[in-house]
Amino acid sequence: MSIATESQPQTMEFKTELKQLLDLIIHSLYTKSEVFLRELISNSADAIDKVRFDGLTHPEMLEGNSDWKIRIMPDEKSGTLTISDNGLGMSAETIVDNLGTIARSGTRAFMEKLKQSNAQDRPELIGQFGVGFYASFMVADRVTVVSKMAGDAPAVRWESDGQGQYTISPAERESRGTDVILHLRDDQKEFLTEWRLRDIVKRYSDFIEHPIVLVTTKDDKTEEATLNSRQAIWLRPKSEIKPEEYNAFYKQIAHDMEDPLKVIHLAADGTLEFRALLFLPKQKPFDLFSGPPKASGVSLYVKRVLIAHDCEELLPTWLRFVKGVVDSSDLPLNVSRETLQHNPILAKIRTNLVNRVLKTLEEMKTTEPEAYKTFYAEFGAVLKEGLTQDFANRERIADLLMLESTKTASGEFTTLEQYVARMESAQSEIHYLVGETRAQIERSPYVESLRSAGEEVLLLTDPIDEFAVNSLGEYKGKRFKAADRSAGHAADSDSIKEKEAEFQPLLESLKSLLSEVKDVKLSARLRDSAACLVADEHAPSAHMERLMQRMGRDAAGRSKRTLEINPDHAVVKKLQALHAADKSDAKVELYGKILLDEAILAEGSRIEDPAAFASRINQVLAGG
């Protein structure tokens, strides 16, 4: 195309409704205005990679200008910020194609061209040049671009205020490359300060392959400082990386003083190509369970450029303790680079990462049991969340559980596989009891008959346990059964059935006297205790109700449970004798309420009226 002279620049209209699109870009696509710098740096990196690629077949394009560098030049006097590169540059035609048409992707067109060639060592490019460039108007009221394409094409100037038109005119530039000059608005002058520019580059572009240089002038002297580390450790072969390098990188991204417990370095090639460097920490961070759960601890990069911190699309929340980075140049992004498209490639990366983390944990559990115990003590409760969220991996997660039981010493663990292997042939269910502490539940009345019969009971004390077990349902065909539920005990005992007629009058009296309970029955589960409270098979347990109460979700209040009493206990026998002699004896109600109080305490709940409880105990002690 022909362009006007500098004195008479050519004014052109954008080829789309730019004003409306710019409003969308500025106010909807990007949540932080600072990302404009990330976008411009990424475009400069692409331009350098393009000319390096073309220089493989046309070496003359690289002559005298191959010191690859992206320069950032703030000028407080003029209020401008310039991002300059020595990449491929643009001619008048290409600048109209790339900047005159909103959302025209120069990178995408370039990649299509690469697909048709047989050249080797093709560069990885980020994509969506056009829209990323227009992020500049979030901070600038006018943008000037001066560019010179490799070869004999003259330099060209592009300028616009983003209001629907742009101008094209000849320009002067000594060598190949592009300068993007932002005329910052008065309320955006923070982007001229050195500390702010350093912070943005460090956060988003630290691993860009080419040096990103801050150019400043002090006392009439120009100084240059490289802002990015360029050390994308995850792109290097594992054989070349020392343990101390892994440790240093982990501490940098995780803000942890300790070395990681485990390193997972993954390089996937073939139809799905990505690089991942993941870490298992030694100890949980202080905020793991405080506040809303963090979605993820893994950041997403595309060609070394940070796209998203804590990217929840990469790993599920039940693996949020994993720290690291994933880099995939093949991953499609939407126009803002902040919201990832939901696509099969992303789903495959996620599946691959989850499988690799699970495989690492499985290997650690088998070959490094002490290291796995360290991990599980810190993150086992988070891992259990996967039982409620990830149906596809539920069995693998179940095999990773380490649980205490009535057949393990305090602080020692068993697995579900070991539990099932120890089950007697007559046992058809996996027994468990949930509570606050092992000391509380291993002496609970609910396990007395099971312990007496030699059947093992899992002792679960994590807040997530009841949700997790209910979600799991069964393991290896063995159904989980809570020891504090009503089904399968009293009604199945012949000895209890023989005593029901004798105790029936007492049971009916206690039921009428104790309005807090749903029913009163004889118990087959008790051996040493006098009484216990049991919930119906599908009703919330006492432990669940306590959890809901602590979470502020106990609007329904405590549900009524069945009071079971032990007909062989001395206190119950005495109560039966009192009732048989005189059913109106006040001691019947007194003893009945004490038995209920004991049962409430035994299940781990709080007595609603401690003063009344103390009064009843004092009456008994006083011989009343």
Side-chain angles (χ1 to χ4, degrees):
M1 66 172 290
S2 61
I3 58 176
T5 63
E6 275 194 69
S7 59
Q8 292 180 326
Q10 183 176 353
T11 300
M12 305 178 70
E13 297 286 336
F14 286 103
K15 294 183 180 179
T16 63
E17 296 296 330
L18 178 65
K19 195 168 184 179
Q20 291 84 350
L21 273 170
L22 271 179
D23 185 71
L24 174 66
I25 291 168
I26 295 171
H27 297 106
S28 300
L29 293 182
Y30 296 97
T31 57
K32 297 179 180 179
S33 60
E34 65 190 22
V35 299
F36 82 90
L37 186 57
R38 178 191 72 183
E39 297 295 318
L40 295 179
I41 289 173
S42 299
N43 291 339
S44 292
D46 277 358
I48 292 173
D49 286 339
K50 287 177 184 179
V51 75
R52 290 175 65 193
F53 172 75
D54 287 349
L56 295 175
T57 52
H58 300 282
E60 67 277 6
M61 298 177 66
L62 308 182
E63 291 179 1
N65 193 3
S66 58
D67 181 18
W68 311 117
K69 190 179 296 184
I70 301 167
R71 304 169 79 215
I72 300 175
M73 296 173 283
D75 188 334
E76 293 187 9
K77 291 182 179 179
S78 63
T80 61
L81 178 67
T82 301
I83 293 84
S84 177
D85 65 68
N86 55 349
L88 182 63
M90 291 178 284
S91 65
E93 289 81 2
T94 56
I95 207 168
V96 169
D97 284 344
N98 287 327
L99 303 186
T101 303
I102 194 74
R104 169 67 178 268
S105 173
T107 295
R108 181 176 294 174
F110 181 72
M111 289 302 293
E112 289 298 324
K113 181 180 177 182
L114 290 185
K115 291 178 182 178
Q116 300 171 11
S117 71
N118 296 318
Q120 301 299 314
D121 301 319
R122 295 173 176 175
E124 297 177 344
L125 300 170
I126 297 168
Q128 300 309 111
F129 176 87
V131 171
F133 166 79
Y134 278 100
S136 303
F137 286 100
M138 290 190 293
V139 298
D141 52 23
R142 183 161 53 96
V143 178
T144 303
V145 178
V146 176
S147 189
K148 179 177 173 58
M149 196 169 189
D152 297 329
V156 61
R157 178 190 306 273
W158 179 100
E159 191 164 86
S160 177
D161 60 4
Q163 298 301 309
Q165 294 181 332
Y166 62 92
T167 61
I168 296 287
S169 60
E172 295 293 330
R173 197 179 196 278
E174 292 183 2
S175 59
R176 178 200 69 241
T178 300
D179 299 331
V180 179
I181 306 161
L182 308 182
H183 303 265
L184 298 179
R185 298 199 303 268
D186 290 339
D187 60 348
Q188 301 294 332
K189 295 299 176 64
E190 62 178 287
F191 296 111
L192 295 175
T193 58
E194 182 175 338
W195 70 268
R196 189 75 168 97
L197 295 171
R198 286 180 177 274
D199 176 67
I200 297 171
V201 172
K202 190 70 176 177
R203 186 181 312 156
Y204 293 106
S205 307
D206 193 42
F207 305 110
I208 288 285
E209 180 180 2
H210 313 297
I212 302 171
V213 176
L214 178 66
V215 181
T216 55
T217 302
K218 296 179 180 178
D219 300 326
D220 296 327
K221 293 183 179 179
T222 300
E223 299 179 359
E224 291 190 357
T226 301
L227 304 184
N228 58 325
S229 69
R230 305 169 61 195
Q231 299 298 314
I233 186 174
W234 61 85
L235 298 180
R236 292 165 53 192
K238 288 186 281 187
S239 59
E240 297 180 2
I241 304 175
K242 299 177 181 179
E244 52 267 29
E245 292 181 280
Y246 280 129
N247 295 343
F249 182 73
Y250 164 75
K251 292 175 181 178
Q252 175 187 345
I253 64 171
H255 309 291
D256 193 351
M257 300 295 291
E258 295 282 339
D259 292 338
L261 181 65
K262 203 72 175 176
V263 178
I264 304 172
H265 195 162
L266 177 61
D269 295 309
T271 56
L272 179 66
E273 295 188 7
F274 67 91
R275 300 292 183 270
L277 183 53
L278 308 178
F279 301 91
L280 301 182
K282 283 183 180 177
Q283 57 188 12
K284 56 178 173 284
F286 70 91
D287 60 347
L288 184 64
F289 293 109
S290 62
K294 197 175 185 179
S296 169
V298 179
S299 296
L300 174 64
Y301 286 77
V302 171
K303 192 178 172 276
R304 305 187 182 207
V305 178
L306 176 66
I307 302 302
H309 268 305
D310 305 330
C311 184
E312 60 186 308
E313 289 87 356
L314 290 174
L315 280 177
T317 56
W318 58 271
L319 289 178
R320 62 185 178 275
F321 51 82
V322 178
K323 305 295 182 182
V325 299
V326 173
D327 194 330
S328 174
S329 58
D330 294 332
L331 189 65
L333 303 174
N334 78 347
V335 289
S336 75
R337 295 188 183 165
E338 289 192 343
T339 304
L340 294 171
Q341 294 176 349
H342 296 286
N343 60 80
I345 294 177
L346 187 63
K348 289 178 182 178
I349 293 177
R350 179 187 176 103
T351 298
N352 199 308
L353 295 178
V354 171
N355 285 337
R356 189 55 182 262
V357 172
L358 287 176
K359 182 181 178 181
T360 299
L361 293 176
E362 290 162 351
E363 291 173 347
M364 194 191 316
K365 178 172 170 283
T366 302
T367 62
E368 303 175 75
E370 291 305 315
Y372 186 74
K373 284 182 181 179
T374 298
F375 159 80
Y376 195 84
E378 297 292 318
F379 302 106
V382 185
L383 191 67
K384 291 175 186 176
E385 294 176 14
L387 296 173
T388 70
Q389 301 172 15
D390 193 334
F391 181 83
N393 290 299
R394 194 168 293 171
E395 290 188 7
R396 294 182 70 183
I397 299 171
D399 280 327
L400 291 170
L401 301 182
M402 300 187 69
L403 310 167
E404 292 192 75
S405 80
T406 51
K407 291 190 176 180
T408 67
S410 180
E412 297 297 322
F413 302 92
T414 187
T415 65
L416 289 176
E417 183 179 19
Q418 292 168 338
Y419 179 103
V420 170
R422 286 193 295 266
M423 288 174 61
E424 299 291 339
S425 57
Q427 183 179 342
S428 60
E429 297 167 317
I430 299 174
H431 303 295
Y432 71 94
L433 185 60
V434 182
E436 273 72 25
T437 66
R438 175 185 175 125
Q440 176 202 74
I441 56 180
E442 73 175 332
R443 294 193 295 269
S444 168
Y446 303 112
V447 303
E448 291 176 0
S449 64
L450 296 171
R451 190 195 296 272
S452 177
E455 296 188 6
E456 188 172 6
V457 181
L458 298 174
L459 306 174
L460 309 179
T461 56
D462 280 331
I464 186 67
D465 280 335
E466 190 149 7
F467 300 98
V469 171
N470 289 337
S471 296
L472 189 57
E474 64 176 37
Y475 177 81
K476 306 295 185 185
K478 304 293 184 181
R479 189 171 68 92
F480 285 91
K481 178 172 176 53
D484 58 351
R485 299 305 173 93
S486 60
H489 287 278
D492 298 334
S493 172
D494 292 337
S495 63
I496 292 300
K497 289 179 180 178
E498 292 174 359
K499 298 174 182 177
E500 282 180 347
E502 176 187 356
F503 279 81
Q504 193 61 36
L506 173 62
L507 298 177
E508 292 178 357
S509 291
L510 290 177
K511 184 177 180 180
S512 65
L513 292 169
L514 305 175
S515 60
E516 301 92 333
V517 302
K518 178 181 179 181
D519 200 359
V520 183
K521 295 182 179 179
L522 297 184
S523 178
R525 79 182 74 225
L526 299 175
R527 293 295 181 271
D528 303 319
S529 301
C532 67
L533 283 167
V534 298
D536 290 343
E537 187 70 6
H538 301 292
S541 68
H543 178 260
M544 180 67 76
E545 288 183 350
R546 292 194 296 272
L547 280 179
M548 293 297 102
Q549 186 178 40
R550 286 197 287 269
M551 295 168 63
R553 300 180 182 176
D554 62 335
R558 179 184 293 177
S559 61
K560 288 188 175 183
R561 289 185 278 281
T562 297
L563 178 66
E564 290 188 2
I565 60 175
N566 181 0
D568 297 321
H569 195 279
V571 171
V572 176
K573 287 180 178 180
K574 182 175 183 179
L575 179 56
Q576 163 67 4
L578 286 172
H579 184 269
D582 182 2
K583 64 177 63 176
S584 62
D585 191 333
K587 291 180 182 178
V588 172
E589 181 177 4
L590 175 65
Y591 287 1
K593 289 191 173 182
I594 289 177
L595 288 177
L596 175 59
D597 291 335
E598 290 179 358
I600 292 173
L601 292 174
E603 73 176 12
S605 298
R606 179 175 59 86
I607 294 174
E608 295 293 337
D609 189 349
F613 169 67
S615 176
R616 287 190 281 272
I617 294 298
N618 290 337
Q619 286 184 60
V620 174
L621 293 175

